[in-house]
Amino acid sequence: MKYTRIPNTDIRISKICLGTMTWGRQNNEDEAHEQMDYALDQGVNFFDTAELYPVPAKKELYAVTEELIGNWFKKTGNRDKVVLASKIAGPGYAAKHIRSTGFSKESIISAVDDSLKRLQTDYIDLYQLHWPERNTNYFGQRGYNAHAVDVWDDNIHQVLETLRDLIAEGKIRHVGLSNETPWGTMRYLEESKVHQSLPRMRTIQNPYSLLNRLFEVGLSEVSMREQIGLLAYSPLGFGVLSGKYLTEIPPRKARVTLFPNYNRYSGDTAVQATEMYAQLAKEHGLSIAQMALAFVNTRPFLTSNIIGATSMGQLKENIESIDVNLSDEVLDGIEKIHKTIPNPAP
Protein backbone atom coordinates (compact mmCIF):
# COMPACT_ATOMS: atom_id res chain seq x y z
CA MET A 1 0.00 0.00 0.00
CA LYS A 2 1.03 3.61 -0.51
CA TYR A 3 0.31 6.29 2.05
CA THR A 4 -0.28 10.03 2.17
CA ARG A 5 -1.31 12.38 4.96
CA ILE A 6 -4.42 14.40 5.52
CA PRO A 7 -2.97 17.79 4.52
CA ASN A 8 -1.23 19.74 7.27
CA THR A 9 -1.85 17.03 9.86
CA ASP A 10 0.11 14.10 11.24
CA ILE A 11 -2.61 11.64 10.20
CA ARG A 12 -1.15 9.02 7.82
CA ILE A 13 -3.73 7.44 5.52
CA SER A 14 -3.70 4.88 2.75
CA LYS A 15 -3.96 6.26 -0.77
CA ILE A 16 -6.80 3.80 -1.27
CA CYS A 17 -9.79 4.53 0.96
CA LEU A 18 -12.49 1.95 1.67
CA GLY A 19 -15.90 3.32 0.73
CA THR A 20 -18.93 1.92 2.54
CA MET A 21 -22.11 3.24 0.95
CA THR A 22 -23.46 -0.16 -0.15
CA TRP A 23 -23.25 -1.77 3.29
CA GLY A 24 -26.69 -2.46 4.70
CA ARG A 25 -28.39 -2.44 1.30
CA GLN A 26 -26.36 -4.26 -1.36
CA ASN A 27 -24.06 -5.86 1.21
CA ASN A 28 -25.09 -7.47 4.49
CA GLU A 29 -23.21 -7.21 7.79
CA ASP A 30 -21.06 -10.30 7.27
CA GLU A 31 -19.97 -9.05 3.85
CA ALA A 32 -19.21 -5.59 5.24
CA HIS A 33 -17.08 -7.10 8.00
CA GLU A 34 -15.28 -9.32 5.49
CA GLN A 35 -14.45 -6.26 3.38
CA MET A 36 -13.06 -4.38 6.38
CA ASP A 37 -11.00 -7.38 7.47
CA TYR A 38 -9.51 -7.80 4.01
CA ALA A 39 -8.89 -4.10 3.38
CA LEU A 40 -7.10 -3.66 6.68
CA ASP A 41 -4.96 -6.73 5.96
CA GLN A 42 -3.96 -5.11 2.65
CA GLY A 43 -2.84 -1.93 4.38
CA VAL A 44 -5.98 0.13 3.79
CA ASN A 45 -6.33 2.10 7.01
CA PHE A 46 -8.75 4.81 5.83
CA PHE A 47 -12.53 4.12 5.87
CA ASP A 48 -15.17 6.62 4.71
CA THR A 49 -18.83 6.53 5.69
CA ALA A 50 -21.78 8.89 6.31
CA GLU A 51 -24.95 9.10 8.33
CA LEU A 52 -26.86 9.00 5.01
CA TYR A 53 -25.55 5.54 4.10
CA PRO A 54 -26.51 3.09 2.71
CA VAL A 55 -27.60 4.69 -0.53
CA PRO A 56 -30.01 5.10 -2.14
CA ALA A 57 -31.11 6.64 1.16
CA LYS A 58 -34.16 5.13 2.78
CA LYS A 59 -35.82 5.97 6.10
CA GLU A 60 -35.94 2.34 7.22
CA LEU A 61 -32.21 1.95 6.62
CA TYR A 62 -31.06 5.28 8.04
CA ALA A 63 -27.43 5.11 9.25
CA VAL A 64 -27.27 1.30 9.12
CA THR A 65 -23.82 1.51 7.53
CA GLU A 66 -22.40 3.31 10.56
CA GLU A 67 -23.95 0.66 12.81
CA LEU A 68 -22.26 -2.14 10.86
CA ILE A 69 -18.91 -0.40 11.18
CA GLY A 70 -19.47 0.13 14.89
CA ASN A 71 -20.25 -3.56 15.36
CA TRP A 72 -16.99 -4.43 13.58
CA PHE A 73 -15.01 -2.10 15.82
CA LYS A 74 -16.55 -3.75 18.87
CA LYS A 75 -15.94 -7.27 17.55
CA THR A 76 -12.36 -6.77 16.40
CA GLY A 77 -11.01 -4.00 18.62
CA ASN A 78 -9.54 -2.41 15.49
CA ARG A 79 -10.70 1.17 16.04
CA ASP A 80 -7.14 2.39 16.71
CA LYS A 81 -5.95 0.87 13.41
CA VAL A 82 -8.42 2.86 11.29
CA VAL A 83 -8.61 6.51 10.27
CA LEU A 84 -12.36 7.04 10.21
CA ALA A 85 -14.26 9.64 8.17
CA SER A 86 -17.98 10.34 8.32
CA LYS A 87 -20.37 13.08 7.20
CA ILE A 88 -23.43 15.07 8.19
CA ALA A 89 -26.14 15.08 5.52
CA GLY A 90 -27.07 18.40 3.97
CA PRO A 91 -30.69 19.52 3.56
CA GLY A 92 -32.97 18.37 0.78
CA TYR A 93 -35.07 15.51 -0.52
CA ALA A 94 -32.44 12.78 -0.01
CA ALA A 95 -32.18 13.67 3.68
CA LYS A 96 -35.79 14.58 4.49
CA HIS A 97 -36.04 11.53 6.76
CA ILE A 98 -33.03 12.72 8.77
CA ARG A 99 -33.65 16.39 9.57
CA SER A 100 -34.73 19.65 7.97
CA THR A 101 -32.48 22.01 9.95
CA GLY A 102 -29.37 21.87 7.79
CA PHE A 103 -26.08 22.71 9.46
CA SER A 104 -27.47 24.55 12.47
CA LYS A 105 -25.44 24.28 15.66
CA GLU A 106 -27.93 21.86 17.17
CA SER A 107 -28.00 19.73 14.00
CA ILE A 108 -24.23 19.33 13.81
CA ILE A 109 -23.87 18.50 17.50
CA SER A 110 -26.71 15.97 17.36
CA ALA A 111 -25.39 14.40 14.14
CA VAL A 112 -21.90 13.94 15.60
CA ASP A 113 -23.18 12.52 18.88
CA ASP A 114 -25.48 10.07 17.09
CA SER A 115 -22.72 8.95 14.71
CA LEU A 116 -20.36 8.35 17.63
CA LYS A 117 -22.93 6.10 19.29
CA ARG A 118 -23.57 4.10 16.13
CA LEU A 119 -19.87 3.81 15.33
CA GLN A 120 -19.13 2.79 18.95
CA THR A 121 -16.20 5.19 19.17
CA ASP A 122 -15.25 8.30 21.11
CA TYR A 123 -14.01 10.28 18.11
CA ILE A 124 -14.20 10.67 14.34
CA ASP A 125 -10.91 11.48 12.62
CA LEU A 126 -12.39 13.46 9.72
CA TYR A 127 -15.88 14.94 9.83
CA GLN A 128 -17.28 16.25 6.55
CA LEU A 129 -20.23 18.32 5.33
CA HIS A 130 -21.82 15.92 2.84
CA TRP A 131 -23.13 18.61 0.49
CA PRO A 132 -23.79 22.37 0.65
CA GLU A 133 -26.87 23.91 2.20
CA ARG A 134 -27.11 26.57 -0.49
CA ASN A 135 -28.38 26.30 -4.06
CA THR A 136 -25.45 25.28 -6.23
CA ASN A 137 -24.42 22.57 -8.66
CA TYR A 138 -23.51 19.11 -7.35
CA PHE A 139 -24.64 15.48 -7.77
CA GLY A 140 -24.46 15.68 -11.56
CA GLN A 141 -25.95 19.15 -12.11
CA ARG A 142 -23.96 20.68 -14.94
CA GLY A 143 -24.60 24.36 -14.42
CA TYR A 144 -25.37 26.85 -11.67
CA ASN A 145 -29.03 27.91 -11.70
CA ALA A 146 -28.78 31.57 -10.77
CA HIS A 147 -32.57 31.94 -10.85
CA ALA A 148 -33.36 29.14 -8.41
CA VAL A 149 -34.93 30.14 -5.10
CA ASP A 150 -32.22 30.17 -2.44
CA VAL A 151 -33.19 31.03 1.12
CA TRP A 152 -29.72 30.22 2.47
CA ASP A 153 -28.21 32.69 4.90
CA ASP A 154 -24.41 32.65 5.00
CA ASN A 155 -23.76 30.68 8.21
CA ILE A 156 -20.24 29.46 7.42
CA HIS A 157 -18.74 31.23 10.43
CA GLN A 158 -21.27 29.58 12.73
CA VAL A 159 -20.68 26.15 11.17
CA LEU A 160 -16.95 26.46 11.74
CA GLU A 161 -17.51 27.65 15.32
CA THR A 162 -19.59 24.56 16.04
CA LEU A 163 -16.99 22.28 14.49
CA ARG A 164 -14.25 24.06 16.47
CA ASP A 165 -16.09 23.34 19.71
CA LEU A 166 -16.50 19.67 18.78
CA ILE A 167 -12.77 19.45 18.06
CA ALA A 168 -12.06 21.03 21.46
CA GLU A 169 -14.27 18.38 23.07
CA GLY A 170 -12.29 15.63 21.31
CA LYS A 171 -15.31 14.30 19.41
CA ILE A 172 -13.79 15.04 16.00
CA ARG A 173 -10.18 15.64 15.00
CA HIS A 174 -10.35 17.41 11.63
CA VAL A 175 -12.98 18.66 9.19
CA GLY A 176 -13.60 18.49 5.47
CA LEU A 177 -16.01 19.35 2.67
CA SER A 178 -17.83 17.21 0.13
CA ASN A 179 -19.58 17.96 -3.18
CA GLU A 180 -18.33 21.52 -2.88
CA THR A 181 -17.59 24.17 -5.50
CA PRO A 182 -14.54 26.45 -5.84
CA TRP A 183 -16.52 29.37 -4.38
CA GLY A 184 -17.71 27.36 -1.38
CA THR A 185 -14.29 25.87 -0.76
CA MET A 186 -12.56 29.25 -0.79
CA ARG A 187 -15.32 30.77 1.35
CA TYR A 188 -14.63 28.21 4.11
CA LEU A 189 -10.86 28.56 3.76
CA GLU A 190 -10.92 32.35 3.89
CA GLU A 191 -13.17 32.33 6.95
CA SER A 192 -10.63 30.25 8.85
CA LYS A 193 -7.79 32.46 7.60
CA VAL A 194 -9.45 35.65 8.83
CA HIS A 195 -10.58 34.03 12.09
CA GLN A 196 -7.63 31.86 13.02
CA SER A 197 -9.39 30.24 15.97
CA LEU A 198 -11.67 28.47 13.49
CA PRO A 199 -10.71 25.07 12.07
CA ARG A 200 -9.43 24.80 8.51
CA MET A 201 -11.04 22.43 6.04
CA ARG A 202 -8.43 19.75 5.28
CA THR A 203 -10.06 17.74 2.50
CA ILE A 204 -12.73 17.91 -0.17
CA GLN A 205 -14.59 14.76 -1.21
CA ASN A 206 -15.80 15.25 -4.78
CA PRO A 207 -16.37 13.00 -7.80
CA TYR A 208 -13.36 12.39 -10.01
CA SER A 209 -12.87 9.77 -12.72
CA LEU A 210 -12.06 9.32 -16.39
CA LEU A 211 -15.70 10.25 -17.08
CA ASN A 212 -15.74 13.30 -14.83
CA ARG A 213 -12.57 15.38 -14.53
CA LEU A 214 -14.33 18.64 -13.71
CA PHE A 215 -12.35 18.88 -10.47
CA GLU A 216 -9.46 19.93 -12.71
CA VAL A 217 -11.34 23.12 -13.62
CA GLY A 218 -10.94 25.51 -10.71
CA LEU A 219 -10.83 23.12 -7.79
CA SER A 220 -7.50 21.52 -8.67
CA GLU A 221 -5.75 24.89 -8.34
CA VAL A 222 -7.56 25.57 -5.06
CA SER A 223 -6.58 22.10 -3.85
CA MET A 224 -2.90 22.47 -4.62
CA ARG A 225 -2.38 26.13 -3.67
CA GLU A 226 -4.46 25.90 -0.49
CA GLN A 227 -3.41 22.33 0.43
CA ILE A 228 -6.91 20.93 0.69
CA GLY A 229 -6.67 17.32 -0.50
CA LEU A 230 -9.08 15.58 -2.84
CA LEU A 231 -10.81 12.45 -1.60
CA ALA A 232 -11.98 11.19 -4.99
CA TYR A 233 -15.31 9.39 -4.98
CA SER A 234 -16.96 7.40 -7.78
CA PRO A 235 -13.56 6.79 -9.45
CA LEU A 236 -15.27 4.01 -11.44
CA GLY A 237 -18.44 6.00 -12.14
CA PHE A 238 -20.88 3.73 -10.26
CA GLY A 239 -19.03 0.76 -11.75
CA VAL A 240 -19.45 1.91 -15.35
CA LEU A 241 -15.65 2.10 -15.77
CA SER A 242 -15.36 -1.57 -14.86
CA GLY A 243 -16.83 -2.24 -18.31
CA LYS A 244 -19.54 -4.50 -16.89
CA TYR A 245 -22.38 -2.46 -18.42
CA LEU A 246 -20.98 -2.74 -21.96
CA THR A 247 -22.62 -6.14 -22.36
CA GLU A 248 -26.01 -6.59 -24.03
CA ILE A 249 -27.49 -7.90 -20.78
CA PRO A 250 -26.48 -5.74 -17.77
CA PRO A 251 -25.35 -7.57 -14.61
CA ARG A 252 -28.40 -8.42 -12.51
CA LYS A 253 -27.21 -7.25 -9.08
CA ALA A 254 -25.14 -4.24 -10.16
CA ARG A 255 -25.93 -0.78 -8.82
CA VAL A 256 -27.13 0.84 -12.04
CA THR A 257 -29.28 -2.22 -12.79
CA LEU A 258 -30.88 -2.17 -9.35
CA PHE A 259 -31.26 1.61 -9.17
CA PRO A 260 -31.79 2.96 -12.72
CA ASN A 261 -31.97 6.57 -11.53
CA TYR A 262 -28.23 6.31 -10.75
CA ASN A 263 -27.60 7.05 -14.40
CA ARG A 264 -25.29 10.08 -14.47
CA TYR A 265 -22.44 7.89 -15.79
CA SER A 266 -24.62 5.96 -18.25
CA GLY A 267 -25.54 8.47 -20.95
CA ASP A 268 -24.74 7.79 -24.58
CA THR A 269 -21.53 9.85 -24.63
CA ALA A 270 -20.37 8.30 -21.33
CA VAL A 271 -20.90 4.84 -22.80
CA GLN A 272 -19.01 5.85 -25.95
CA ALA A 273 -16.09 7.16 -23.87
CA THR A 274 -16.11 4.02 -21.72
CA GLU A 275 -15.88 1.86 -24.83
CA MET A 276 -12.84 3.87 -25.95
CA TYR A 277 -11.18 3.57 -22.54
CA ALA A 278 -11.91 -0.16 -22.48
CA GLN A 279 -10.24 -0.58 -25.87
CA LEU A 280 -7.20 1.42 -24.72
CA ALA A 281 -6.88 -0.75 -21.60
CA LYS A 282 -7.17 -3.94 -23.67
CA GLU A 283 -4.44 -2.80 -26.06
CA HIS A 284 -2.06 -2.43 -23.12
CA GLY A 285 -2.99 -5.60 -21.26
CA LEU A 286 -4.86 -3.80 -18.49
CA SER A 287 -8.33 -4.16 -17.04
CA ILE A 288 -10.32 -0.98 -17.60
CA ALA A 289 -11.11 -0.82 -13.87
CA GLN A 290 -7.48 -0.89 -12.83
CA MET A 291 -6.50 1.58 -15.54
CA ALA A 292 -9.25 3.96 -14.41
CA LEU A 293 -8.26 3.71 -10.75
CA ALA A 294 -4.55 3.93 -11.46
CA PHE A 295 -5.16 7.14 -13.41
CA VAL A 296 -6.88 8.71 -10.40
CA ASN A 297 -4.00 7.54 -8.20
CA THR A 298 -1.52 9.55 -10.32
CA ARG A 299 -3.19 12.94 -9.84
CA PRO A 300 -1.05 15.45 -7.92
CA PHE A 301 -4.04 16.85 -6.03
CA LEU A 302 -5.20 13.43 -4.80
CA THR A 303 -5.05 12.60 -1.10
CA SER A 304 -6.99 9.32 -1.27
CA ASN A 305 -9.03 7.36 -3.82
CA ILE A 306 -12.34 6.07 -2.41
CA ILE A 307 -13.12 2.64 -3.83
CA GLY A 308 -16.30 0.68 -3.21
CA ALA A 309 -17.18 -2.91 -4.00
CA THR A 310 -20.06 -5.30 -3.60
CA SER A 311 -17.95 -8.44 -4.04
CA MET A 312 -14.59 -9.53 -2.72
CA GLY A 313 -13.31 -10.00 -6.26
CA GLN A 314 -14.06 -6.35 -7.03
CA LEU A 315 -12.47 -5.24 -3.78
CA LYS A 316 -9.27 -7.17 -4.47
CA GLU A 317 -8.96 -5.78 -8.00
CA ASN A 318 -9.63 -2.23 -6.81
CA ILE A 319 -7.08 -2.32 -4.01
CA GLU A 320 -4.45 -3.84 -6.32
CA SER A 321 -4.74 -0.79 -8.57
CA ILE A 322 -2.32 0.96 -6.21
CA ASP A 323 0.47 -1.15 -7.73
CA VAL A 324 -0.48 -0.44 -11.36
CA ASN A 325 1.89 1.97 -13.11
CA LEU A 326 0.56 3.55 -16.29
CA SER A 327 3.01 4.08 -19.14
CA ASP A 328 3.34 7.41 -20.91
CA GLU A 329 1.68 5.77 -23.90
CA VAL A 330 -1.39 4.88 -21.82
CA LEU A 331 -1.55 8.33 -20.26
CA ASP A 332 -1.28 9.93 -23.71
CA GLY A 333 -4.08 7.66 -24.92
CA ILE A 334 -6.26 8.72 -22.00
CA GLU A 335 -5.69 12.39 -22.83
CA LYS A 336 -6.62 11.83 -26.49
CA ILE A 337 -9.92 10.23 -25.49
CA HIS A 338 -10.56 12.98 -22.96
CA LYS A 339 -10.06 15.65 -25.61
CA THR A 340 -12.46 13.83 -27.90
CA ILE A 341 -15.19 13.34 -25.26
CA PRO A 342 -14.44 15.58 -22.28
CA ASN A 343 -16.36 15.04 -19.04
CA PRO A 344 -19.39 13.18 -20.42
CA ALA A 345 -20.71 12.46 -16.92
CA PRO A 346 -20.65 15.42 -14.52
Side-chain angles (χ1 to χ4, degrees), residues 110-125:
S110 173
V112 169
D113 286 342
D114 290 346
S115 284
L116 290 173
K117 289 176 186 175
R118 289 187 293 263
L119 291 162
Q120 302 188 53
T121 184
D122 296 327
Y123 66 98
I124 295 168
D125 296 285

Side-chain angles (χ1 to χ4, degrees), residues 42-91:
Q42 300 305 306
V44 175
N45 74 335
F46 188 28
F47 296 0
D48 177 74
T49 192
E51 65 168 345
L52 187 75
Y53 296 167
V55 292
K58 188 177 181 181
K59 182 178 181 180
E60 295 80 5
L61 296 175
Y62 167 56
V64 166
T65 303
E66 288 189 329
E67 292 176 357
L68 301 187
I69 296 170
N71 292 342
W72 182 78
F73 284 149
K74 182 178 180 180
K75 180 179 75 173
T76 64
N78 282 336
R79 175 64 187 94
D80 64 340
K81 298 178 182 178
V82 171
V83 178
L84 179 64
S86 194
K87 314 178 196 73
I88 177 175

